[in-house]
DNA sequence: TTGTTAAGCGGAGGGAGCCTCCGTATCTTC
DNA sequence: GAAGATACGGAGGCTCCCTCCGCTTAACAA
């Protein structure tokens, strides 16, 4: 029997899961996290098994497909990001709350190198992880977006799906030097574009950029 | 000797390239274009060779690495996109010219499914193709951006590199249904964010959206 | 404790794709 | 037509994928 987190109510006729199975599952997860973050989502599964100190068969029994492994590794990470949106609901300025969430997302991506690549792969393979993540993050963005739109501070014709897609896309290019500040700049532009300009105001931009404006080279 | 397009001035001591070599090179390119566009950039090179009707060795002799093959296939495509920017330089409204270029880019991506994926891969591997494309497209965007900034219609602290990254990022998520209209919407928001709002004007958005605004679901 | 048995373990092995190498075939040149 | 340069094809060695199955071990019962 495969142990599934959150399903430990084995009160029925099922046996208690074997201790070694639980242990090995945890080891594989730990190893996969490390290996994916280092070598990207195409890293060798045999390397994961070796790092975990288990046979390749054990790995496949717990996670029959590559996507299953991704899913287990990254599901919690997505939830963290989602919870942040919940907290930001209480911020005063709804536009700023959205901006802050997006920035946190960038930071998050920066520390979990493998995640965006894994998600990008999940998009293409149409896996269950993708559906979960997309649904979860869409809801997170949606709540922030709704609040801002309800307050009349932001245009209402942009869906959370649109925004999420744009956000992930920008982060996807995160292998180049300086990607992080570039994405932050772009997000500022984006949020500015989303703003409904207060009537009569003359200033072009309502928010400070993430960094002092960089002198253009070209 | 390997025949390289645009280098047929074999007036020196070099021999005329063999006819079969030229023919095979062309066949491989044609096959690769088809196979990559259909199956993505991870498609089997042996499949390409088979489709081209040549041995795998022949393929590797002409294109020692996967990236070399991408490069040959997609270099011209990038140039097309770059030339479009040249033409748009003559448009009256510089902001609109930028917007039009970005939209054309979306259409372009829509018809060449394999290209974005190939470029994304090229980014990660830091290949020569990427350097070429990035440089070329950066220049294209840069010229449009400069014109708009010089006319005072657009903020000047965004680099062409930033914009290109954002654009490609958005397009990268192009496997989902409805991606195209989503990206068009996002680009409109983005360009709005780039605009310097004329003093005293009260309208929030200066351009019509690509499609009638969609009623939000959430 | 000890025996029974289901659950889990490891890794051999077949398959697919990558890339190299070299004997053979073909083209160019004289 | 002969010689020599050039290119061809695919066998073969490698890595990784994933499956399958005989052996081991932990849980439970007595």
């Amino acid at each position: 029997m495969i142990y599934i987190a959150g399903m430990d109510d084995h009160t029925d006729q099922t046996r208690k899961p074997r201790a070694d199975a639980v242990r090995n599952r945890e080891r594989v997860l730990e190893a996969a996290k490390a290996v994916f973050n280092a070598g990207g989502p195409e890293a060798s599964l045999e390397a994961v098994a070796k790092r975990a100190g288990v046979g390749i068969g054990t790995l496949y029994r717990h996670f029959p497909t590559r996507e299953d492994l991704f899913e287990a590794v990254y599901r919690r990470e997505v939830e963290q990001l989602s919870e942040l949106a919940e907290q930001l609901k209480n911020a005063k300025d709804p536009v700023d709350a959205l901006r802050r969430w997006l920035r946190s997302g960038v930071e998050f991506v920066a520390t979990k190198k493998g995640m965006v690549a894994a998600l990008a792969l999940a998009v293409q393979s149409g896996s269950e992880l993708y559906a979960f993540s997309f649904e979860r993050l869409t809801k997170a963005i949606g709540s922030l977006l709704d609040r801002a739109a309800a307050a009349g501070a932001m245009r209402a014709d942009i869906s959370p799906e649109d925004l999420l897609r744009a956000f992930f896309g920008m982060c996807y290019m995160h292998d180049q030097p300086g990607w992080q500040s570039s994405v932050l700049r772009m997000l500022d532009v984006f949020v500015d574009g989303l703003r409904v300009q207060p009537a009569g105001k003359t200033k072009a931009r309502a928010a400070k950029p993430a960094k002092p404006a960089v002198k253009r080279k070209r």
Side-chain angles (χ1 to χ4, degrees), chain A:
Chain A
M1 178 205 178
I2 302 270
Y3 176 82
I4 298 176
M7 261 187 65
D8 20 319
D9 45 321
H10 47 90
T11 42
D12 319 339
Q13 68 284 19
T14 58
R15 253 191 186 205
K16 185 163 117 192
R18 279 176 57 158
D20 55 348
V22 175
R23 180 168 22 88
N24 280 333
R25 186 172 209 278
E26 209 51 47
R27 278 187 189 167
V28 169
L29 274 177
E30 207 59 37
K33 194 168 174 176
V35 170
F36 286 149
N37 278 344
E42 325 241 314
S44 156
L45 294 188
E46 266 156 21
V48 173
K50 184 171 285 182
R51 183 183 179 112
V54 304
I56 185 68
T58 298
L59 185 150
Y60 273 97
R61 196 167 340 91
H62 284 293
F63 308 101
T65 72
R66 207 185 194 81
E67 270 79 34
D68 290 333
L69 191 49
F70 283 154
E71 181 168 333
V73 170
Y74 290 116
R75 197 171 271 244
R76 197 180 319 166
E77 323 248 329
V78 168
E79 261 163 3
Q80 277 183 310
L81 205 47
S82 163
E83 275 162 20
L84 176 62
E86 206 62 33
Q87 295 164 21
L88 284 172
K89 266 189 178 168
N90 306 322
K92 320 99 246 159
D93 181 355
V95 175
D96 201 56
L98 176 63
R99 191 190 305 271
R100 293 230 303 266
W101 188 83
L102 292 171
R103 288 193 189 172
S104 300
V106 173
E107 241 172 84
F108 197 82
V109 167
T111 56
K112 321 266 170 181
K113 297 254 182 205
M115 195 179 82
V116 179
L119 274 178
L121 211 99
V123 170
Q124 291 177 329
S125 59
S127 81
E128 212 256 317
L129 167 63
Y130 168 67
F132 166 81
S133 308
F134 198 75
E135 189 268 334
R136 200 66 179 247
L137 295 178
T138 296
K139 205 185 273 180
I141 286 193
S143 70
L144 295 174
L145 222 44
D146 276 349
R147 218 163 67 90
M154 189 170 277
R155 56 195 282 186
D157 63 334
I158 294 300
S159 71
E161 288 86 358
D162 285 344
L163 184 49
L164 185 60
R165 220 171 304 207
F167 173 67
F168 262 125
M170 290 189 205
C171 288
Y172 185 71
M173 294 277 145
H174 74 97
D175 277 324
Q176 300 161 49
W179 73 271
Q180 207 167 340
S181 63
S182 169
V183 170
L184 288 176
R185 273 198 301 279
M186 292 298 99
L187 284 176
D188 271 330
V189 170
F190 207 89
V191 173
D192 284 351
L194 284 171
R195 271 185 115 75
V196 170
Q197 295 290 329
K201 285 264 179 84
T202 57
K203 68 178 171 183
R205 305 184 51 242
K208 301 201 310 292
K211 293 200 163 192
V214 176
K215 192 73 202 115
R216 296 250 322 278
K217 279 159 293 195
R218 190 166 306 283

